[in-house]
Amino acid sequence: MSTPPPSTPSRARDYAVQCILEEARALTDLAGQLDENFDRAVEMIFRCHGKVIVTGVGKSGNIGAKIAATLSSTGTPSFFINPLDVYHGDLGVMTPDDVVLALSNSGQTDELLRFIPIVLHMHIPIISMTGNPSSLLAKYSAAHILVHVEKEACPLNLAPTSSTTAALAMGDALAVALMELRHFKPRDFAQYHPGGELGKRLLTTARDVMKSDDLPIIPSGMHLGEAIIHVSKGKLGLGVSLRDGKVEGLITDGDIRRAMERWQSEFFDKTVSDIMTTHPKCVLPTTKVTEIQRLMNKYKVHTVLVTDHEGHLLGIVDHYRCML
């Protein structure tokens, strides 16, 4: 028998497009399957005083591990356990305060069915996520979340593709619903992700990034011709006027350029007090970088001053120092 010629790259791309469209269709259909069981599952997890123990076998287990990680990182203590390991000591991590989330597309996975009596004996409620509402796993669950797909994206309709994508999306839906119920905020997210970029931005304060030495301080009575030199040397594009250590005003290189255009030959007779902003944007040293970025975007400024509660200048934070 002769070997058929391999598919061309363009043909392979057609298969990929078909796969993506099939899985997208499965996700669209998923929204219509949500019912009171989803609400019950969210309520069970929200009221849980212990942990969410996610379990599954094979591909469902891989998806379950990701769901457990997502739940844990968004405020719901959770971890994945292989049902086979329960028979070899891992049963000790489970308590009646926990909730089990079991994944199985068929709902008839033997390892999970042997796991159910143990869980029920410990009076631990089960939330199941299957594509078969008539399955034994669904029957013995306190809440059954239907995740049914018409067909797998696999051309043989065998390999878990659309079904695992749908299960993953349903897990995300659970996590997002719980985040809303818990009023989960960016600050909370940062506490669970202290090593990531977002965590750094959410936990870093003005004190951590501000420039506090060799600040471009200029008196309000200084003539603008001299002030230009000080602003240039400061390399921040600005100068700060102080009175008794407190911020009196601020000028930027933009202010100076506009003053030159406005006054022209009279420019050198003007002083800093003639053009300075008397109420520049100031923050406390404990202000988070994310809040500083919000202020910069809102007021279209590139720099904020860091002061104490009395208005004494402590440092300067510019746009570049917020780029962690």
Side-chain angles (χ1 to χ4, degrees):
M1 179 182 295
S2 61
T3 303
S7 299
T8 63
S10 61
R11 187 61 176 157
R13 194 181 311 136
D14 291 339
Y15 295 142
V17 170
Q18 183 178 347
C19 174
I20 292 171
L21 292 178
E22 288 285 353
E23 296 200 9
R25 189 175 300 111
L27 292 181
T28 302
D29 294 343
L30 194 64
Q33 298 178 34
L34 295 173
D35 58 15
E36 64 277 0
N37 274 283
F38 182 85
D39 300 335
R40 188 179 304 119
V42 171
E43 183 71 14
M44 288 170 60
I45 297 175
F46 182 69
R47 301 296 179 189
C48 175
H49 295 293
K51 309 168 294 297
V52 176
I53 300 172
V54 186
T55 187
V57 179
K59 302 297 188 297
S60 293
N62 295 334
I63 297 300
K66 191 275 178 184
I67 292 174
T70 299
L71 288 171
S72 291
S73 68
T74 53
T76 300
S78 176
F79 66 89
F80 175 80
I81 186 171
N82 189 312
L84 296 176
D85 294 334
V86 170
Y87 305 105
H88 301 282
D90 283 3
L91 186 64
V93 304
M94 301 171 62
T95 73
D97 290 330
D98 298 333
V99 170
V100 167
L101 174 61
L103 281 72
S104 169
N105 187 40
S106 68
Q108 300 289 128
T109 306
D110 182 63
E111 293 88 346
L112 281 180
L113 294 183
R114 288 190 284 121
F115 179 49
I116 289 175
I118 300 174
V119 176
L120 295 179
H121 179 72
M122 297 180 66
H123 304 290
I124 299 174
I126 299 174
I127 299 170
S128 60
M129 189 183 297
T130 84
N132 182 5
S134 301
S135 63
L136 286 175
L137 180 57
K139 178 181 178 180
Y140 286 100
S141 299
H144 172 253
I145 301 176
L146 181 62
V147 185
H148 174 72
V149 298
E150 288 298 326
K151 64 184 295 291
E152 299 288 1
C154 163
L156 303 177
N157 196 28
L158 294 175
T161 45
S162 295
S163 59
T164 50
T165 298
L168 185 63
M170 188 62 79
D172 289 341
L174 276 174
V176 169
L178 288 161
M179 288 175 69
E180 289 294 329
L181 280 179
R182 299 186 195 284
H183 304 292
F184 200 78
K185 302 298 181 185
R187 184 187 304 272
D188 303 312
F189 191 87
Q191 292 177 349
Y192 292 98
H193 302 77
E197 180 182 349
L198 178 60
K200 290 179 181 178
R201 288 196 290 112
L202 289 169
L203 297 176
T204 303
T205 65
R207 180 184 286 112
D208 298 322
V209 299
M210 69 183 186
K211 177 179 174 60
S212 57
D213 57 340
D214 297 325
L215 299 178
I217 307 301
I218 54 177
S220 59
M222 178 180 288
H223 284 89
L224 294 181
E226 186 178 358
I228 293 176
I229 299 174
H230 287 269
V231 169
S232 177
K233 287 182 177 180
K235 297 181 180 180
L236 292 175
L238 57 82
V240 184
S241 175
L242 303 179
R243 182 183 295 274
D244 298 327
K246 298 180 181 181
V247 174
E248 181 182 24
L250 177 145
I251 64 169
T252 66
D253 49 9
D255 294 329
I256 295 174
R257 288 195 303 272
R258 287 186 289 273
M260 294 178 71
E261 294 175 0
R262 177 183 177 186
W263 285 305
Q264 297 184 12
S265 61
E266 299 177 9
F267 170 78
F268 291 97
D269 296 326
K270 302 297 181 179
T271 64
V272 169
S273 62
D274 291 321
I275 66 170
M276 70 182 184
T277 300
T278 55
H279 294 91
K281 297 296 177 286
C282 298
V283 299
L284 294 171
T286 54
T287 304
K288 298 293 190 296
V289 165
T290 48
E291 174 62 14
I292 295 175
Q293 291 175 318
R294 188 191 69 80
L295 288 173
M296 288 180 175
N297 291 331
K298 179 179 180 180
Y299 295 104
K300 310 299 181 187
V301 297
H302 298 286
T303 308
V304 296
L305 306 182
V306 184
T307 65
D308 60 18
H309 287 284
E310 287 74 39
H312 295 96
L313 182 66
L314 302 176
I316 297 173
V317 176
D318 62 12
H319 169 74
Y320 297 103
R321 289 178 175 267
C322 293
M323 299 172 63
L324 301 177

